């Protein structure tokens, strides 16, 4: 068995994003833009050509702000979101496709944290219907509140 040293250099893609949010009464609105600079990635396969990716995301969260003694429905958060992006990883006939996503979720208060459950729908389409992909999924996560700030030092 012989080992050879490779002189391959790789770069990590830069990510640049900007976003803003506004809270008005019981609703928070958010808007984000993300730029991924994948064009500087090199591949030994001449058929692979990476492109830069752009993504625009928007969403809102409604929180009725109920007291701890209120019903569960008044203590939950209701979330909706949408995004549209140009994918970086696949180009067909020198054209990139579009991908968009819609999400809806609920956030339940549990003990010292939150249980987040959301469903999403992804749709990827390329020119001349060469690729038309649809994905439906569910995400469940548990967020525990930070208890460190309650401890006296």
């Amino acid at each position: 068995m012989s080992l050879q040293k490779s002189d391959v250099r790789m770069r990590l893609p830069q990510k640049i994003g900007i976003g803003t949010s506004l809270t008005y009464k019981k609703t928070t609105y958010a808007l984000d833009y993300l730029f991924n600079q994948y064009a500087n990635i090199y591949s030994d396969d001449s058929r692979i050509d990476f492109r830069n990716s752009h993504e625009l995301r928007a969403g809102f969260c409604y929180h009725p702000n109920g007291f701890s003694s209120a019903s569960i429905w008044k203590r939950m958060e209701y979330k909706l979101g949408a995004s549209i992006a140009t994918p970086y990883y696949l180009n067909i006939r020198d054209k990139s496709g579009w991908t968009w996503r819609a999400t809806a979720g609920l956030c339940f208060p549990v003990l010292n944290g939150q249980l987040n459950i959301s469903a999403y729908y992804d749709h990827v389409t390329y020119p001349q219907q060469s690729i038309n992909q649809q994905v439906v999924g569910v995400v469940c996560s548990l967020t525990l509140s930070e208890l460190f700030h309650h401890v006296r030092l």
Side-chain angles (χ1 to χ4, degrees):
M1 181 167 94
S2 65
L3 299 175
Q4 292 181 344
K5 184 179 177 182
S6 176
D7 291 332
V8 175
R9 292 179 177 249
M10 295 185 73
R11 293 182 182 165
L12 292 175
Q14 291 186 36
K15 291 185 174 219
I16 301 169
I18 188 167
T20 186
S21 66
L22 171 70
T23 301
Y24 180 70
K25 295 189 179 179
K26 298 178 181 183
T27 306
T28 300
Y29 304 91
L31 183 66
D32 295 325
Y33 168 76
L34 181 63
F35 170 74
N36 294 303
Q37 188 180 21
Y38 288 103
N40 64 355
I41 296 177
Y42 172 76
S43 174
D44 290 334
D45 189 341
S46 63
R47 298 172 296 170
I48 298 175
D49 180 30
F50 292 100
R51 304 261 174 123
N52 294 332
S53 172
H54 304 272
E55 184 175 2
L56 184 62
R57 298 179 282 204
F60 76 92
C61 175
Y62 174 72
H63 184 68
N65 239 358
F67 297 105
S68 59
S69 60
S71 73
I72 188 80
W73 302 109
K74 290 187 178 180
R75 293 183 288 138
M76 290 176 41
E77 292 180 2
Y78 305 88
K79 301 177 181 187
L80 286 176
S83 71
I84 188 165
T86 57
Y88 64 90
Y89 50 87
L90 183 59
N91 294 296
I92 298 174
R93 296 183 196 98
D94 204 33
K95 294 184 180 176
S96 182
W98 288 95
T99 179
W100 61 271
R101 174 180 274 205
T103 61
L106 297 173
C107 181
F108 300 92
V110 292
L111 300 174
N112 288 322
Q114 298 175 330
L115 175 65
N116 299 289
I117 300 173
S118 64
Y120 66 88
Y121 173 78
D122 257 343
H123 185 85
V124 178
T125 185
Y126 275 84
Q128 300 158 352
Q129 295 190 354
S130 54
I131 292 179
N132 192 357
Q133 176 182 338
Q134 299 174 16
V135 178
V136 175
V138 175
V139 177
C140 184
S141 66
L142 177 63
T143 305
L144 299 175
S145 295
E146 180 64 55
L147 299 177
F148 184 75
H149 65 276
H150 293 291
V151 177
R152 291 185 186 182
L153 298 177

